[in-house]
Structures are given as structure tokens and as C-alpha cells.
Coordinates of all heavy atoms in Angstrom, one line a residue:
M990 N -115.9 104.5 89.6 CA -117.0 104.9 88.7 C -118.1 103.8 88.7 O -117.7 102.6 88.8 CB -116.4 105.0 87.3 CG -117.4 105.1 86.2 SD -116.7 105.2 84.6 CE -115.8 106.7 84.7
T991 N -119.3 104.2 88.6 CA -120.4 103.3 88.6 C -120.7 102.9 87.2 O -120.3 103.6 86.2 CB -121.7 103.8 89.3 OG1 -122.2 104.9 88.5 CG2 -121.4 104.3 90.7
V992 N -121.5 101.8 87.0 CA -122.0 101.4 85.7 C -122.8 102.6 85.0 O -122.6 102.9 83.9 CB -122.8 100.1 85.8 CG1 -123.4 99.8 84.4 CG2 -121.9 99.0 86.2
N993 N -123.7 103.2 85.8 CA -124.5 104.3 85.3 C -123.6 105.4 84.8 O -123.9 106.0 83.7 CB -125.4 104.9 86.4 CG -126.6 104.0 86.5 OD1 -127.1 103.3 85.6 ND2 -127.2 104.0 87.7
E994 N -122.5 105.8 85.5 CA -121.6 106.8 85.0 C -120.9 106.4 83.8 O -120.7 107.2 82.8 CB -120.6 107.1 86.1 CG -121.2 107.8 87.4 CD -120.2 107.9 88.5 OE1 -119.3 107.0 88.7 OE2 -120.4 108.8 89.4
L995 N -120.5 105.1 83.7 CA -119.9 104.6 82.4 C -120.8 104.8 81.2 O -120.4 105.2 80.2 CB -119.4 103.2 82.6 CG -118.8 102.6 81.4 CD1 -117.3 103.1 81.2 CD2 -118.7 101.0 81.5
I996 N -122.1 104.4 81.5 CA -123.1 104.4 80.4 C -123.2 105.9 79.9 O -123.2 106.1 78.7 CB -124.5 103.9 80.9 CG1 -124.4 102.4 81.2 CG2 -125.6 104.3 79.9 CD1 -125.6 101.9 82.0
T997 N -123.3 106.8 80.8 CA -123.4 108.2 80.4 C -122.2 108.7 79.7 O -122.3 109.4 78.6 CB -123.7 109.1 81.6 OG1 -124.9 108.6 82.3 CG2 -123.9 110.5 81.3
K998 N -121.0 108.5 80.2 CA -119.8 109.0 79.7 C -119.4 108.4 78.3 O -118.8 109.1 77.5 CB -118.7 108.9 80.7 CG -118.9 109.8 81.9 CD -117.7 109.8 82.8 CE -118.1 110.8 84.0 NZ -117.0 110.8 85.0
L999 N -119.7 107.2 78.1 CA -119.4 106.5 76.8 C -120.6 106.4 75.9 O -120.5 105.9 74.8 CB -118.8 105.2 77.1 CG -117.4 105.1 77.8 CD1 -116.9 103.7 77.8 CD2 -116.4 106.1 77.2
D1000 N -121.8 106.9 76.4 CA -123.0 106.8 75.6 C -123.3 105.4 75.1 O -123.5 105.1 73.9 CB -122.9 107.8 74.4 CG -124.3 108.0 73.7 OD1 -125.3 107.9 74.4 OD2 -124.3 108.3 72.5
L1001 N -123.3 104.5 76.1 CA -123.5 103.1 75.8 C -125.0 102.7 75.7 O -125.8 103.3 76.4 CB -122.9 102.2 76.9 CG -121.4 102.4 77.1 CD1 -120.9 101.7 78.3 CD2 -120.6 102.0 75.9
E1002 N -125.3 101.8 74.8 CA -126.7 101.3 74.7 C -126.9 100.3 75.8 O -126.0 99.4 76.1 CB -126.8 100.5 73.4 CG -128.1 99.9 73.2 CD -128.2 99.0 71.9 OE1 -127.2 99.0 71.1 OE2 -129.3 98.5 71.7
V1003 N -128.0 100.4 76.5 CA -128.3 99.5 77.6 C -129.1 98.4 77.1 O -130.2 98.6 76.6 CB -129.0 100.3 78.8 CG1 -129.5 99.3 79.8 CG2 -128.2 101.4 79.3
L1004 N -128.7 97.1 77.3 CA -129.4 96.0 76.9 C -130.0 95.3 78.2 O -131.2 94.8 78.1 CB -128.5 94.9 76.2 CG -127.9 95.4 74.9 CD1 -126.9 94.4 74.4 CD2 -128.9 95.8 73.9
S1005 N -129.3 95.4 79.3 CA -129.8 94.9 80.6 C -129.1 95.7 81.6 O -127.9 95.8 81.7 CB -129.5 93.4 80.7 OG -129.7 93.0 82.1
L1006 N -129.9 96.4 82.5 CA -129.3 97.2 83.6 C -129.9 96.7 84.9 O -131.0 97.2 85.2 CB -129.4 98.7 83.3 CG -128.8 99.6 84.3 CD1 -127.2 99.4 84.3 CD2 -129.1 101.0 84.0
E1007 N -129.3 95.9 85.6 CA -129.8 95.3 86.8 C -129.3 96.0 88.0 O -129.9 96.0 89.1 CB -129.5 93.8 86.9 CG -130.1 93.0 85.7 CD -131.6 93.3 85.5 OE1 -132.4 93.1 86.4 OE2 -132.0 93.6 84.4
D1008 N -128.1 96.6 87.9 CA -127.5 97.3 89.1 C -126.6 98.4 88.5 O -125.4 98.3 88.5 CB -126.7 96.4 89.9 CG -126.1 97.0 91.2 OD1 -126.4 98.2 91.4 OD2 -125.4 96.3 91.9
G1009 N -127.2 99.6 88.2 CA -126.5 100.7 87.6 C -125.5 101.3 88.6 O -124.6 102.0 88.2
E1010 N -125.8 101.1 89.9 CA -124.9 101.7 90.9 C -123.7 100.8 91.3 O -122.9 101.2 92.1 CB -125.7 102.0 92.2 CG -126.7 103.2 91.9 CD -126.1 104.4 91.4 OE1 -125.1 104.9 91.9 OE2 -126.6 104.9 90.3
R1011 N -123.6 99.7 90.6 CA -122.4 98.8 90.8 C -121.2 99.5 90.5 O -121.0 100.1 89.4 CB -122.6 97.5 90.0 CG -121.4 96.6 90.0 CD -121.6 95.6 91.1 NE -120.4 94.8 91.3 CZ -120.2 93.6 90.8 NH1 -121.1 92.9 90.1 NH2 -119.0 92.9 91.1
E1012 N -120.2 99.5 91.4 CA -118.9 100.1 91.2 C -118.0 99.3 90.3 O -117.9 98.1 90.4 CB -118.2 100.2 92.6 CG -117.1 101.2 92.6 CD -117.4 102.6 92.5 OE1 -118.6 103.0 92.8 OE2 -116.6 103.4 92.0
I1013 N -117.4 100.0 89.3 CA -116.4 99.3 88.4 C -115.1 99.5 89.1 O -114.6 100.7 89.3 CB -116.5 99.9 87.0 CG1 -117.9 99.7 86.4 CG2 -115.4 99.4 86.1 CD1 -118.1 100.5 85.1
T1014 N -114.4 98.5 89.4 CA -113.1 98.5 90.1 C -111.9 98.2 89.2 O -110.8 98.3 89.7 CB -113.1 97.6 91.3 OG1 -113.4 96.3 90.9 CG2 -114.2 98.1 92.3
G1015 N -112.2 97.8 88.0 CA -111.1 97.4 87.1 C -111.6 97.1 85.7 O -112.8 97.4 85.4
G1016 N -110.8 96.5 84.9 CA -111.3 96.2 83.5 C -110.6 95.0 83.0 O -109.5 94.7 83.4
Y1017 N -111.3 94.3 82.0 CA -110.7 93.2 81.3 C -111.2 93.2 79.9 O -112.4 93.4 79.7 CB -111.0 91.9 82.0 CG -110.1 90.8 81.6 CD1 -108.9 90.6 82.1 CD2 -110.5 89.9 80.5 CE1 -108.0 89.6 81.7 CE2 -109.7 89.0 80.1 CZ -108.4 88.8 80.6 OH -107.6 87.8 80.1
T1018 N -110.4 92.9 79.0 CA -110.8 92.8 77.6 C -110.3 91.4 77.1 O -109.2 91.1 77.2 CB -110.2 93.9 76.7 OG1 -110.5 95.2 77.2 CG2 -110.6 93.8 75.3
G1019 N -111.3 90.7 76.5 CA -111.0 89.4 76.0 C -112.2 88.7 75.4 O -113.3 89.0 75.8
D1020 N -111.9 87.8 74.4 CA -113.0 87.1 73.8 C -112.9 85.6 73.9 O -113.9 84.9 73.6 CB -112.9 87.4 72.3 CG -113.1 88.9 72.0 OD1 -113.9 89.5 72.6 OD2 -112.3 89.4 71.1
L1021 N -111.8 85.1 74.5 CA -111.7 83.6 74.7 C -112.3 83.4 76.1 O -111.7 83.7 77.1 CB -110.3 83.2 74.6 CG -110.0 81.7 74.8 CD1 -110.7 80.9 73.7 CD2 -108.5 81.4 74.7
L1022 N -113.5 82.8 76.1 CA -114.2 82.7 77.4 C -113.5 82.0 78.5 O -113.5 82.4 79.7 CB -115.6 82.1 77.1 CG -116.5 82.9 76.2 CD1 -117.8 82.2 76.0 CD2 -116.7 84.3 76.6
S1023 N -112.8 80.9 78.2 CA -112.1 80.2 79.2 C -111.0 81.1 79.8 O -110.6 81.0 81.0 CB -111.5 78.9 78.7 OG -110.6 79.1 77.6
W1024 N -110.4 81.9 79.0 CA -109.3 82.8 79.4 C -109.9 83.9 80.3 O -109.3 84.1 81.4 CB -108.7 83.4 78.2 CG -107.3 84.1 78.4 CD1 -107.1 85.4 78.7 CD2 -106.1 83.4 78.4 NE1 -105.7 85.6 78.9 CE2 -105.1 84.4 78.6 CE3 -105.7 82.1 78.1 CZ2 -103.7 84.1 78.7 CZ3 -104.3 81.8 78.1 CH2 -103.4 82.8 78.4
V1025 N -111.0 84.5 79.9 CA -111.7 85.5 80.7 C -112.1 84.9 82.1 O -111.9 85.5 83.1 CB -112.9 86.1 80.0 CG1 -113.6 87.1 80.9 CG2 -112.4 86.8 78.7
M1026 N -112.7 83.7 82.0 CA -113.1 83.0 83.2 C -112.0 82.9 84.3 O -112.3 83.1 85.5 CB -113.7 81.6 82.9 CG -114.5 81.0 84.0 SD -115.4 79.5 83.4 CE -114.3 78.8 82.2
G1027 N -110.8 82.7 83.9 CA -109.7 82.5 84.8 C -109.0 83.8 85.2 O -108.2 83.8 86.1
R1028 N -109.3 84.9 84.5 CA -108.5 86.1 84.7 C -109.3 87.3 85.0 O -108.7 88.2 85.7 CB -107.6 86.3 83.5 CG -106.5 85.3 83.4 CD -105.8 85.3 82.0 NE -104.7 84.4 82.0 CZ -104.8 83.1 81.8 NH1 -105.9 82.5 81.7 NH2 -103.7 82.4 81.8
A1029 N -110.5 87.5 84.6 CA -111.3 88.6 85.0 C -111.6 88.6 86.5 O -111.7 87.5 87.1 CB -112.6 88.7 84.2
E1030 N -111.6 89.8 87.1 CA -111.8 89.9 88.5 C -113.2 90.5 88.8 O -113.8 91.2 88.0 CB -110.7 90.7 89.1 CG -109.3 90.1 88.9 CD -108.2 90.9 89.5 OE1 -108.5 91.9 90.2 OE2 -107.0 90.5 89.3
S1031 N -113.6 90.2 90.0 CA -114.9 90.8 90.5 C -114.8 92.3 90.4 O -113.8 92.9 90.8 CB -115.1 90.3 92.0 OG -116.3 90.9 92.5
G1032 N -115.8 92.9 89.8 CA -115.9 94.3 89.7 C -115.4 94.9 88.4 O -115.5 96.1 88.1
D1033 N -114.8 94.0 87.6 CA -114.3 94.4 86.3 C -115.4 94.9 85.3 O -116.4 94.3 85.3 CB -113.4 93.3 85.6 CG -112.0 93.2 86.1 OD1 -111.6 94.1 87.0 OD2 -111.3 92.3 85.7
M1034 N -115.0 95.8 84.4 CA -115.8 96.1 83.2 C -115.2 95.1 82.2 O -114.0 95.2 81.9 CB -115.6 97.5 82.8 CG -116.1 97.8 81.4 SD -115.6 99.5 80.8 CE -113.9 99.2 80.4
W1035 N -116.0 94.2 81.7 CA -115.5 93.3 80.7 C -115.9 93.7 79.3 O -117.1 93.9 79.0 CB -116.0 91.9 81.0 CG -115.7 90.8 80.0 CD1 -114.7 90.8 79.1 CD2 -116.4 89.6 79.8 NE1 -114.7 89.7 78.3 CE2 -115.7 88.9 78.7 CE3 -117.5 89.0 80.4 CZ2 -116.2 87.7 78.3 CZ3 -117.9 87.8 79.9 CH2 -117.3 87.1 78.9
V1036 N -114.9 93.9 78.4 CA -115.2 94.3 77.0 C -114.9 93.2 76.1 O -113.8 92.6 76.2 CB -114.3 95.6 76.7 CG1 -114.7 96.0 75.2 CG2 -114.5 96.7 77.7
T1037 N -115.9 92.9 75.3 CA -115.8 91.7 74.4 C -116.6 91.9 73.1 O -117.5 92.8 73.1 CB -116.2 90.4 75.1 OG1 -116.0 89.3 74.2 CG2 -117.7 90.5 75.5
I1038 N -116.3 91.1 72.1 CA -117.2 91.0 70.9 C -118.0 89.8 70.9 O -118.9 89.5 70.0 CB -116.4 91.2 69.6 CG1 -115.4 90.1 69.5 CG2 -115.9 92.6 69.5 CD1 -114.8 89.9 68.1
M1039 N -117.8 88.9 71.9 CA -118.5 87.6 72.0 C -120.0 87.9 72.4 O -120.2 88.7 73.3 CB -117.9 86.7 73.0 CG -116.5 86.2 72.5 SD -116.5 85.2 71.0 CE -117.4 83.8 71.6
T1040 N -120.9 87.2 71.8 CA -122.3 87.5 72.2 C -123.1 86.2 72.4 O -124.3 86.2 72.5 CB -123.0 88.3 71.1 OG1 -123.0 87.6 69.9 CG2 -122.4 89.7 71.0
N1041 N -122.5 85.1 72.6 CA -123.3 83.9 72.8 C -123.7 83.8 74.3 O -123.2 84.5 75.2 CB -122.5 82.6 72.3 CG -121.3 82.3 73.1 OD1 -121.3 82.3 74.4 ND2 -120.2 82.0 72.4
I1042 N -124.6 82.9 74.6 CA -125.1 82.8 75.9 C -124.1 82.5 77.0 O -124.3 82.9 78.2 CB -126.3 81.7 76.0 CG1 -127.1 81.9 77.2 CG2 -125.7 80.3 75.9 CD1 -128.5 82.3 76.9
N1043 N -123.0 81.9 76.6 CA -121.9 81.6 77.6 C -121.3 82.9 78.2 O -120.7 82.8 79.3 CB -120.9 80.7 77.0 CG -121.5 79.3 76.7 OD1 -122.4 78.8 77.4 ND2 -121.0 78.7 75.6
V1044 N -121.4 84.0 77.5 CA -120.8 85.2 78.0 C -121.5 85.6 79.3 O -120.9 86.0 80.3 CB -121.0 86.4 77.0 CG1 -120.8 87.7 77.6 CG2 -120.1 86.2 75.8
I1045 N -122.8 85.3 79.4 CA -123.5 85.6 80.6 C -123.1 84.7 81.8 O -122.9 85.2 82.9 CB -125.1 85.5 80.4 CG1 -125.5 86.4 79.2 CG2 -125.8 85.9 81.6 CD1 -125.1 87.9 79.3
A1046 N -122.9 83.5 81.5 CA -122.4 82.6 82.5 C -121.0 83.0 83.0 O -120.8 82.9 84.2 CB -122.4 81.1 81.9
V1047 N -120.1 83.4 82.1 CA -118.8 83.8 82.5 C -118.8 85.1 83.3 O -118.2 85.2 84.3 CB -117.9 83.9 81.3 CG1 -116.5 84.5 81.7 CG2 -117.6 82.5 80.7
A1048 N -119.7 86.0 82.9 CA -119.8 87.3 83.6 C -120.3 87.0 85.0 O -119.9 87.6 86.0 CB -120.8 88.2 82.9
A1049 N -121.3 86.1 85.2 CA -121.8 85.8 86.5 C -120.7 85.1 87.3 O -120.5 85.4 88.5 CB -123.0 84.9 86.4
L1050 N -120.0 84.1 86.7 CA -119.0 83.4 87.5 C -117.9 84.3 87.9 O -117.4 84.2 89.1 CB -118.4 82.3 86.6 CG -117.3 81.4 87.2 CD1 -117.9 80.6 88.3 CD2 -116.7 80.5 86.1
A1051 N -117.4 85.2 87.1 CA -116.4 86.2 87.4 C -116.8 87.4 88.2 O -116.0 88.1 88.7 CB -115.7 86.7 86.1
D1052 N -118.2 87.5 88.3 CA -118.8 88.6 89.0 C -118.3 90.0 88.5 O -118.0 90.9 89.2 CB -118.5 88.5 90.5 CG -119.3 89.5 91.4 OD1 -120.4 89.8 91.0 OD2 -118.7 90.0 92.4
T1053 N -118.4 90.1 87.2 CA -118.0 91.4 86.6 C -119.1 92.4 86.8 O -120.2 92.1 87.0 CB -117.8 91.3 85.0 OG1 -119.0 90.8 84.4 CG2 -116.6 90.3 84.7
A1054 N -118.7 93.7 86.9 CA -119.6 94.8 87.1 C -120.5 95.0 85.9 O -121.7 95.3 86.1 CB -118.9 96.1 87.4
C1055 N -120.0 94.7 84.7 CA -120.8 94.8 83.5 C -120.0 94.2 82.4 O -118.8 93.9 82.4 CB -121.1 96.3 83.2 SG -119.6 97.3 82.9
V1056 N -120.8 93.9 81.3 CA -120.2 93.4 80.1 C -120.5 94.5 79.0 O -121.7 94.9 78.9 CB -120.8 92.1 79.6 CG1 -120.2 91.6 78.3 CG2 -120.6 91.0 80.7
V1057 N -119.5 94.9 78.3 CA -119.7 95.9 77.2 C -119.4 95.1 75.9 O -118.3 94.6 75.7 CB -118.7 97.1 77.3 CG1 -118.9 98.0 76.2 CG2 -119.0 97.8 78.7
I1058 N -120.4 95.0 75.1 CA -120.3 94.4 73.8 C -119.8 95.4 72.8 O -120.5 96.4 72.6 CB -121.6 93.8 73.3 CG1 -122.2 92.8 74.3 CG2 -121.5 93.1 71.9 CD1 -121.3 91.6 74.6
A1059 N -118.6 95.2 72.2 CA -118.0 96.2 71.3 C -118.5 96.0 69.9 O -119.0 94.9 69.5 CB -116.5 96.1 71.4
E1060 N -118.2 97.0 69.0 CA -118.5 96.9 67.6 C -119.9 96.6 67.2 O -120.2 96.0 66.1 CB -117.5 95.9 67.0 CG -116.0 96.4 67.2 CD -115.0 95.6 66.4 OE1 -115.3 95.1 65.3 OE2 -113.9 95.6 66.9
N1061 N -120.8 96.9 68.1 CA -122.3 96.7 67.8 C -122.5 95.3 67.4 O -123.4 95.0 66.6 CB -122.9 97.7 66.8 CG -123.4 98.9 67.4 OD1 -123.7 98.9 68.6 ND2 -123.7 99.9 66.6
A1062 N -121.8 94.3 68.0 CA -122.0 92.9 67.7 C -123.4 92.5 67.9 O -124.0 92.9 68.9 CB -121.0 92.1 68.5
E1063 N -124.0 91.8 67.0 CA -125.4 91.3 67.2 C -125.5 90.4 68.4 O -124.6 89.6 68.7 CB -125.8 90.5 65.9 CG -126.0 91.4 64.7 CD -127.2 92.3 64.8 OE1 -128.2 91.9 65.4 OE2 -127.1 93.5 64.4
I1064 N -126.6 90.6 69.1 CA -126.8 89.8 70.3 C -128.3 89.3 70.3 O -129.2 90.1 70.0 CB -126.4 90.6 71.6 CG1 -126.4 89.7 72.8 CG2 -127.3 91.8 71.8 CD1 -125.6 90.2 73.9
S1065 N -128.5 88.1 70.6 CA -129.9 87.6 70.5 C -130.7 88.0 71.7 O -130.2 88.3 72.8 CB -129.9 86.0 70.4 OG -129.5 85.5 71.6
D1066 N -132.0 87.9 71.5 CA -132.9 88.2 72.6 C -132.8 87.2 73.7 O -133.0 87.6 74.9 CB -134.4 88.2 72.1 CG -134.7 89.4 71.1 OD1 -133.9 90.4 71.1 OD2 -135.7 89.3 70.4
D1067 N -132.4 86.0 73.4 CA -132.2 85.0 74.5 C -131.1 85.4 75.4 O -131.2 85.1 76.6 CB -131.9 83.6 73.8 CG -133.1 83.0 73.1 OD1 -134.3 83.5 73.3 OD2 -132.9 82.0 72.4
V1068 N -130.0 85.9 74.8 CA -128.9 86.3 75.6 C -129.2 87.5 76.5 O -128.9 87.5 77.7 CB -127.7 86.6 74.7 CG1 -126.5 87.1 75.6 CG2 -127.2 85.3 74.0
V1069 N -129.9 88.4 76.0 CA -130.4 89.6 76.7 C -131.3 89.1 77.9 O -131.2 89.6 79.0 CB -131.1 90.7 75.9 CG1 -131.7 91.8 76.7 CG2 -130.1 91.2 74.8
A1070 N -132.2 88.2 77.6 CA -133.1 87.7 78.6 C -132.4 87.0 79.7 O -132.7 87.1 80.9 CB -134.2 86.8 78.0
K1071 N -131.3 86.2 79.3 CA -130.5 85.5 80.3 C -129.7 86.5 81.2 O -129.6 86.3 82.4 CB -129.5 84.6 79.6 CG -128.7 83.7 80.5 CD -129.6 82.7 81.2 CE -128.7 81.6 81.9 NZ -129.5 80.7 82.6
A1072 N -129.3 87.6 80.6 CA -128.6 88.6 81.4 C -129.5 89.2 82.4 O -129.1 89.4 83.6 CB -128.0 89.7 80.4
K1073 N -130.7 89.5 82.0 CA -131.7 90.1 82.9 C -132.0 89.1 84.1 O -132.1 89.4 85.2 CB -133.0 90.5 82.2 CG -132.7 91.7 81.3 CD -134.0 92.0 80.5 CE -133.7 93.3 79.7 NZ -134.8 93.6 78.8
A1074 N -132.2 87.8 83.7 CA -132.5 86.8 84.7 C -131.3 86.6 85.7 O -131.6 86.3 86.8 CB -132.8 85.5 84.0
Q1075 N -130.1 86.8 85.2 CA -128.9 86.5 86.0 C -128.4 87.8 86.7 O -127.5 87.8 87.5 CB -127.8 86.0 85.2 CG -128.0 84.6 84.6 CD -127.9 83.6 85.7 OE1 -127.0 83.6 86.6 NE2 -128.8 82.6 85.7
G1076 N -129.1 89.0 86.4 CA -128.7 90.2 87.1 C -127.4 90.8 86.5 O -126.7 91.5 87.2
I1077 N -127.1 90.6 85.2 CA -125.9 91.0 84.6 C -126.2 92.3 83.9 O -127.1 92.4 83.1 CB -125.4 90.0 83.6 CG1 -125.1 88.6 84.3 CG2 -124.1 90.5 82.9 CD1 -124.1 88.7 85.4
N1078 N -125.3 93.3 84.1 CA -125.4 94.6 83.4 C -124.8 94.4 82.0 O -123.6 94.1 81.9 CB -124.6 95.7 84.1 CG -125.2 96.1 85.4 OD1 -126.5 96.2 85.5 ND2 -124.4 96.2 86.5
L1079 N -125.6 94.5 81.0 CA -125.1 94.2 79.6 C -125.3 95.4 78.8 O -126.4 95.9 78.6 CB -125.9 93.0 79.0 CG -125.6 92.5 77.7 CD1 -124.1 92.0 77.6 CD2 -126.5 91.4 77.2
L1080 N -124.2 95.9 78.2 CA -124.2 97.1 77.4 C -123.6 96.9 76.1 O -122.9 95.9 75.8 CB -123.3 98.2 78.2 CG -123.7 98.2 79.7 CD1 -122.6 99.0 80.5 CD2 -125.0 98.8 79.9
R1081 N -123.8 97.9 75.1 CA -123.3 97.7 73.8 C -122.9 99.1 73.2 O -123.4 100.1 73.6 CB -124.3 97.1 72.9 CG -123.8 96.8 71.5 CD -124.6 95.9 70.7 NE -126.0 96.3 70.6 CZ -127.0 95.6 70.0 NH1 -126.8 94.5 69.5 NH2 -128.2 96.1 70.0
T1082 N -121.9 99.0 72.3 CA -121.4 100.2 71.7 C -120.9 100.0 70.3 O -120.4 98.8 70.0 CB -120.2 100.8 72.6 OG1 -119.7 102.0 72.0 CG2 -119.1 99.8 72.7
P1083 N -120.9 101.0 69.4 CA -120.3 100.8 68.1 C -118.7 100.9 68.2 O -118.1 100.5 67.2 CB -120.9 101.9 67.3 CG -121.3 102.9 68.3 CD -121.7 102.2 69.5
M1084 N -118.2 101.3 69.3 CA -116.7 101.5 69.4 C -116.0 100.1 69.4 O -116.6 99.1 69.8 CB -116.3 102.2 70.7 CG -116.7 103.7 70.7 SD -116.1 104.5 72.2 CE -117.3 104.0 73.4
S1085 N -114.8 100.1 68.9 CA -114.0 98.9 69.1 C -113.6 98.7 70.5 O -113.7 99.6 71.3 CB -112.7 99.0 68.2 OG -111.9 100.0 68.8
A1086 N -113.2 97.5 70.9 CA -112.8 97.2 72.2 C -111.6 98.1 72.6 O -111.6 98.6 73.7 CB -112.4 95.7 72.4
Y1087 N -110.7 98.3 71.7 CA -109.6 99.2 72.0 C -110.1 100.6 72.3 O -109.6 101.2 73.3 CB -108.6 99.3 70.8 CG -107.5 100.3 70.9 CD1 -106.4 100.0 71.6 CD2 -107.7 101.6 70.3 CE1 -105.4 101.0 71.8 CE2 -106.7 102.5 70.5 CZ -105.5 102.2 71.2 OH -104.6 103.1 71.4
K1088 N -111.0 101.1 71.5 CA -111.5 102.5 71.8 C -112.3 102.6 73.1 O -112.1 103.5 73.8 CB -112.4 102.9 70.6 CG -113.0 104.2 70.7 CD -112.2 105.2 70.0 CE -113.0 106.5 70.0 NZ -112.2 107.7 69.9
V1089 N -113.1 101.5 73.4 CA -113.8 101.5 74.7 C -112.8 101.6 75.8 O -113.0 102.5 76.8 CB -114.6 100.3 74.9 CG1 -115.2 100.2 76.3 CG2 -115.8 100.2 73.9
C1090 N -111.7 100.8 75.8 CA -110.7 100.9 76.9 C -110.0 102.2 76.9 O -109.8 102.7 78.0 CB -109.8 99.7 76.7 SG -110.5 98.1 76.9
N1091 N -109.7 102.7 75.8 CA -109.0 104.0 75.7 C -109.8 105.1 76.3 O -109.4 105.9 77.1 CB -108.6 104.3 74.3 CG -107.2 104.7 74.1 OD1 -106.4 104.6 75.0 ND2 -106.9 105.2 72.9
E1092 N -111.1 105.1 75.9 CA -112.0 106.2 76.4 C -112.2 106.0 77.9 O -112.3 107.0 78.6 CB -113.4 106.1 75.6 CG -113.3 106.4 74.2 CD -113.0 107.8 73.9 OE1 -113.5 108.7 74.6 OE2 -112.2 108.1 73.0
Q1093 N -112.3 104.8 78.4 CA -112.5 104.6 79.8 C -111.4 105.1 80.6 O -111.5 105.7 81.6 CB -112.8 103.1 80.0 CG -113.1 102.5 81.3 CD -113.3 103.3 82.6 OE1 -113.4 104.5 82.5 NE2 -113.3 102.7 83.7
I1094 N -110.1 104.9 80.1 CA -108.9 105.4 80.8 C -108.9 106.9 80.9 O -108.5 107.4 81.8 CB -107.7 104.8 80.1 CG1 -107.6 103.3 80.3 CG2 -106.4 105.5 80.6 CD1 -106.5 102.7 79.4
L1095 N -109.4 107.5 79.8 CA -109.4 109.0 79.8 C -110.5 109.6 80.7 O -110.4 110.8 80.9 CB -109.6 109.5 78.3 CG -108.5 109.0 77.4 CD1 -108.8 109.5 75.9 CD2 -107.1 109.6 77.8
L1096 N -111.4 108.9 81.2 CA -112.5 109.5 82.0 C -112.0 109.9 83.4 O -111.2 109.3 84.0 CB -113.6 108.5 82.1 CG -114.3 108.1 80.8 CD1 -115.3 107.0 81.1 CD2 -114.9 109.3 80.1

């Protein structure tokens, strides 16, 4: 599934879409950045409630296909700008992380 397909199927809010055709090959859910950094894999859809600027650095380092911010967590314009500058697909949803993962599995 591509990031664009995920956006459509889960009705996600797009904050930064640099490569909508990027293939999602797996998934990871976590909020402890050091843990995600060592365990998320290239191509993963990363679901988190974390919204600080370090999320973008970890997403770039892990080469995730996209970051989905759950629970409509507030995110600053600086973080969105950094995502655009780094080419990170950054999305948001009112769903909980559990619900995002559950819905994604059902697709």
C-alpha cells in the first residue's frame, strides 16, 4: 500500500506529503524515540503521539514511509516545516494509535 492509499482509506490529515507514492512495507507504533530509532524499519508506517522536532529526525534516520500522529496531537509549524525540509510524509488523525493500527490491518 502507498502513503496516498493510506491517506484515502483512513481519511488522514496531510501535514507534509513529500512522496505519496512511497510504499508502506510494515508498521511500528511507539513514543519512546530512542526505542523507535533502534527498532522501526525502513518503509514502516510509524504511529505515535509524539510531536517534537526529534520525531522528524528519527523518521529520517529510520527511513519510515510516513509518520502518523494519533489523537490529533498538537504539532508546531516548526515541526511541519522540518518534515517538509527533510522529505518526511507527516500525517495526523483523531484516532488512537490502537485504532490506526487496527484499521490499517483491516485494509
Side-chain angles (χ1 to χ4, degrees):
M990 167 181 299
T991 67
V992 173
N993 282 332
E994 290 170 333
L995 180 73
I996 291 165
T997 300
K998 290 184 179 180
L999 296 184
D1000 193 26
L1001 301 174
E1002 176 187 0
V1003 174
L1004 302 172
S1005 170
L1006 186 61
E1007 302 306 309
D1008 184 5
E1010 292 306 310
R1011 175 89 190 261
E1012 194 71 25
I1013 298 170
T1014 56
Y1017 195 85
T1018 302
D1020 301 318
L1021 184 59
L1022 298 180
S1023 61
W1024 197 266
V1025 175
M1026 193 169 33
R1028 288 168 175 78
E1030 297 180 6
S1031 179
D1033 278 355
M1034 167 189 77
W1035 174 22
V1036 183
T1037 183
I1038 59 166
M1039 295 296 296
T1040 60
N1041 66 49
I1042 198 112
N1043 294 327
V1044 167
I1045 305 307
V1047 170
L1050 181 67
D1052 190 35
T1053 60
C1055 61
V1056 179
V1057 179
I1058 305 297
E1060 298 188 29
N1061 268 344
E1063 288 293 321
I1064 191 161
S1065 72
D1066 292 340
D1067 291 347
V1068 174
V1069 174
K1071 185 70 169 177
K1073 290 177 181 178
Q1075 293 288 317
I1077 302 297
N1078 295 315
L1079 183 62
L1080 314 166
R1081 184 167 53 185
T1082 181
M1084 290 185 279
S1085 68
Y1087 174 81
K1088 180 93 170 152
V1089 171
C1090 295
N1091 228 10
E1092 292 295 317
Q1093 182 5 9
I1094 290 169
L1095 297 175
L1096 297 177

